[in-house]
Amino acid sequence: MIPGEELLFLALGGSGEIGMNVNLYGCRGQWIMVDLGLTFADSSYPGVELILPDLEFIENRQDRLAGIVLTHGHEDHIGALPYLAEELKAPLFATPFTAGLIAGKLEEEGLTGQVKLNIVERGGTIELGPFRVSFVALSHSIPEGNGLLIETPFGNVFHTGDWKIDETPVIGEAPSPDTLRAIGDEGVLALVCDSTNVFQNAPSGSEESVHAGLFAKVAEAPGRVLVTTFASNAARLQTIGRVAREAGRQVCIAGRSLERILRVGQATGYLQDFPSPISFDEAMRLPRSQLLVIATGGQGEPRAALGRVAAGTHDLKLSPDDTVIFSSRIIPGNEVAIGRIMNQLSDLGVRIVTERQAHVHVSGHPGRPELVEMYNWVRPEIVVPVHGEARHLAEHSRLALDHGVPHTIVQKNGDVIRLAPGEPEKVDEVRVGQLVLDGDVILPANGSTVNERRRIAYGGLITVAVPLGEDGRLAGTPLVRAFGVPVEEDREDFIADATDAATRAYSPGGKEEAVRESVRLAVRRCATLWTGKKPLVDVTMLQLAQ
């Protein structure tokens, strides 16, 4: 597909899901990409931590990709760059803080200099083929959240990225109503807009408002305090650092991603008055009432700092009457993992504080009143909801229509939407999908490797080695081994039964594949009779030398 005299929009990720944001705009033979993010795997992907978008569509047209523009530095917007950007061979464009985070990721993957990274000054403008893209400061929970004004021959698009209205953002710039009204005065064909909090009736609230709630809980804590938050929430780091100073506590940082945000933030002019962190050894020698730890792991990640602290495997230790403050929201799907860590902390006698007990968190995404305010500022002809599951996108569409927006279009990943000329409509559909990062290897999310691993996780694995003589007859007893099959104390009896089943199923003289399948089915039937499960069975025929 080559865009002609038209303006096209195509999401390869982030529409119909929260996370993994990848959006394409096409015009006069060229495309630009806005963001290239990832998402985090759940238990349906055993052994996998990261999920990446499948970019086959644009990889096949990389000569027509003019550039990749990044709105801000969250993982669901930049996290896939070190794994996929080199293949695309397109230059990257980001403001200084976001560029600093990207540069660190590229360096870790050995890609420094191999991917062209362009730093755009805040409020700057770039020309990419038929597109003129201007960075517009918006508030979010990370420095340098940007909306993008994308000017094209067929009308202007305002792509919000992640945003909220915060008149006292602690770090970064508050959104300028005058700037947004001026954008609206120039005419906005389409508002492509964050839908995450569309079901929230109240505004998300200001970052400044979190300070009082955090300080109250830290001040009343008798022992050590550990605050966990999203590592990328630099504004929250600023607030926590201020609280620590006011409460007379020294700060210790636990988590590489927190250290990275602090380092990049300070290198680009943020967090200049953040207290100098102390080491783990110093932290453990301090009187308990003088320590505040900031840690990663608030979403229940077992290998993150908080998970290891809760399990007692970290250098930092907590004891009864210490306090852990969850200064973050629970991301849907993480409830069980977070609950497990909270239970471990409770077993230690630790006091737990969440946003349900105190005002210790605000969201970085717009509630309904903020969305309506944005409509009023930029006055779009079309609203295209993105960054949400199907229910979020549909509700966002209804909200926009109810507040006077002439047109909306609900799309999903893979839908090719013509925004102009004419009324917005779906004109095509392309293949989209997901990839997984499994160790150091990128694989299809639903390919044979992941599917086999799911089957092993569900039913276990049985291996059968069948020894054969030169005449094709059994040269010994088949060797059966079971992994993860629920036989426990009956293992020896089960192995004996499965071995007998394999022996009886083997018939010399047939085609090897048919014989192997006969043995496989016989052993699996045996396992099903014993356990009610259908484990993965792998049969190997071993030709023994005389």
Side-chain angles (χ1 to χ4, degrees):
M1 173 182 290
I2 301 174
E5 290 297 310
E6 58 191 344
L7 175 58
L8 301 179
F9 173 80
L10 168 60
L12 300 182
S15 288
E17 62 193 350
I18 293 179
M20 206 170 68
N21 297 281
V22 187
N23 299 290
L24 294 172
Y25 292 90
C27 180
R28 290 184 174 173
Q30 291 191 274
W31 296 91
I32 60 170
M33 178 182 290
V34 174
D35 293 332
L36 181 49
L38 53 70
T39 192
F40 296 95
D42 57 27
S43 59
S44 64
Y45 295 91
V48 171
E49 292 185 1
L50 302 180
I51 300 179
L52 312 173
D54 187 337
L55 303 182
E56 179 187 38
F57 171 83
I58 195 64
E59 285 175 350
N60 292 339
R61 298 160 178 81
Q62 60 182 243
D63 59 324
R64 296 186 178 275
L65 180 61
I68 303 172
V69 187
L70 293 314
T71 59
H72 66 284
H74 276 145
E75 289 297 294
D76 60 332
H77 292 259
I78 68 167
L81 285 170
Y83 310 110
L84 302 177
E86 186 183 17
E87 277 300 309
L88 293 174
K89 296 179 173 56
L92 313 181
F93 299 87
T95 52
F97 178 81
T98 305
L101 294 178
I102 294 169
K105 290 177 175 295
L106 296 176
E107 182 179 5
E108 288 177 2
E109 294 299 317
L111 296 175
T112 301
Q114 296 183 44
V115 176
K116 176 71 172 173
L117 175 58
N118 300 278
I119 300 176
V120 182
E121 291 305 312
R122 286 175 286 177
T125 297
I126 56 176
E127 305 274 352
L128 296 171
F131 302 94
R132 186 171 190 266
V133 183
S134 300
F135 289 75
V136 180
L138 294 178
S139 297
H140 189 38
S141 56
I142 191 171
E144 297 177 17
N146 291 287
L148 302 176
L149 175 61
I150 304 172
E151 299 175 74
T152 83
F154 299 92
N156 297 343
V157 174
F158 190 60
H159 185 110
T160 67
D162 292 358
W163 68 283
K164 63 185 286 187
I165 296 176
D166 189 343
E167 296 177 356
T168 53
V170 177
I171 281 182
E173 300 177 51
S176 167
D178 289 342
T179 298
L180 294 170
R181 288 192 194 100
I183 289 171
D185 290 343
E186 292 296 316
V188 172
L189 171 68
L191 174 67
V192 179
C193 189
D194 179 0
S195 308
T196 310
N197 278 353
V198 70
F199 292 105
Q200 182 175 301
N201 288 319
S204 293
S206 172
E207 179 61 35
E208 176 63 31
S209 70
V210 175
H211 170 264
L214 275 174
F215 177 77
K217 289 301 175 184
V218 172
E220 70 184 29
R224 292 171 178 147
V225 174
L226 185 152
V227 182
T228 182
T229 189
F230 297 111
S232 59
N233 193 340
R236 191 65 44 80
L237 289 183
Q238 178 82 1
T239 300
I240 296 168
R242 175 184 167 193
V243 165
R245 283 197 310 272
E246 294 170 350
R249 292 175 180 260
Q250 295 199 56
V251 170
C252 179
I253 300 292
R256 287 179 58 204
S257 53
L258 280 168
E259 293 171 354
R260 181 186 302 115
I261 289 291
L262 183 59
R263 182 175 64 253
V264 173
Q266 291 178 334
T268 50
Y270 303 100
L271 298 164
Q272 296 300 302
D273 58 350
F274 190 84
S276 296
I278 62 174
S279 69
F280 297 159
D281 286 343
E282 292 175 284
M284 288 297 95
R285 291 196 298 266
L286 274 180
R288 308 185 75 81
S289 62
Q290 294 179 19
L291 177 65
L292 187 150
V293 178
I294 309 174
T296 56
Q299 296 304 309
E301 308 96 312
R303 293 195 296 173
L306 178 59
R308 290 185 286 129
V309 170
T313 59
H314 199 284
D315 291 340
L316 295 171
K317 308 298 180 184
L318 295 178
S319 302
D321 291 332
D322 289 343
T323 300
V324 172
I325 301 173
F326 285 77
S327 185
S328 57
R329 72 181 179 93
I330 296 176
I331 294 176
N334 291 344
E335 295 87 352
V336 172
I338 294 172
R340 181 173 57 251
I341 284 180
M342 287 183 174
N343 287 332
Q344 289 176 308
L345 293 169
S346 295
D347 287 341
L348 296 174
V350 170
R351 304 177 183 192
I352 297 171
V353 178
T354 72
E355 60 180 334
R356 294 181 179 179
Q357 286 84 46
H359 185 57
V360 294
H361 177 65
V362 292
S363 174
H365 300 273
R368 294 170 77 88
E370 293 156 287
L371 290 169
V372 172
E373 195 71 60
M374 182 63 79
Y375 307 155
N376 293 335
W377 283 332
V378 304
R379 305 179 296 283
E381 296 176 34
I382 310 163
V383 163
V384 183
V386 293
H387 203 305
E389 298 170 1
R391 59 194 174 97
H392 296 90
L393 306 186
E395 181 63 20
H396 192 168
S397 175
R398 285 189 286 268
L399 179 70
L401 292 172
D402 288 346
H403 286 82
V405 176
H407 303 284
T408 67
I409 188 159
V410 178
Q411 47 78 52
K412 65 181 186 302
N413 294 339
D415 289 348
V416 181
I417 306 299
R418 180 186 290 128
L419 297 174
E423 293 190 358
E425 62 175 331
K426 176 180 173 179
V427 294
D428 202 351
E429 186 170 341
V430 305
R431 194 189 76 79
V432 292
Q434 298 179 336
L435 306 172
V436 298
L437 181 66
D438 192 7
D440 294 328
V441 181
I442 295 175
L443 300 168
N446 290 303
S448 59
T449 298
V450 175
N451 285 333
E452 284 176 2
R453 195 171 298 163
R454 286 179 180 136
R455 291 175 61 191
I456 293 170
Y458 176 76
L461 169 68
I462 298 174
T463 63
V464 184
V466 181
L468 303 178
E470 289 186 349
D471 59 358
R473 297 182 180 277
L474 287 175
T477 303
L479 176 63
V480 177
R481 301 182 69 189
F483 305 88
V485 179
V487 288
E488 297 294 329
E489 295 177 358
D490 299 322
R491 176 176 292 270
E492 290 185 9
D493 291 339
F494 167 71
I495 294 293
D497 200 8
T499 301
D500 183 58
T503 302
R504 286 186 283 106
Y506 181 77
S507 177
K511 291 185 177 179
E512 182 176 324
E513 284 303 316
V515 173
R516 180 184 286 110
E517 180 67 3
S518 177
V519 172
R520 187 187 72 83
L521 291 175
V523 172
R524 194 177 72 170
R525 279 194 296 269
C526 177
T528 302
L529 287 171
W530 274 78
T531 68
K533 308 284 282 188
K534 294 182 178 180
L536 189 68
V537 179
D538 180 70
V539 179
T540 302
M541 312 293 255
L542 299 176
Q543 188 73 48
L544 303 184
Q546 296 297 316

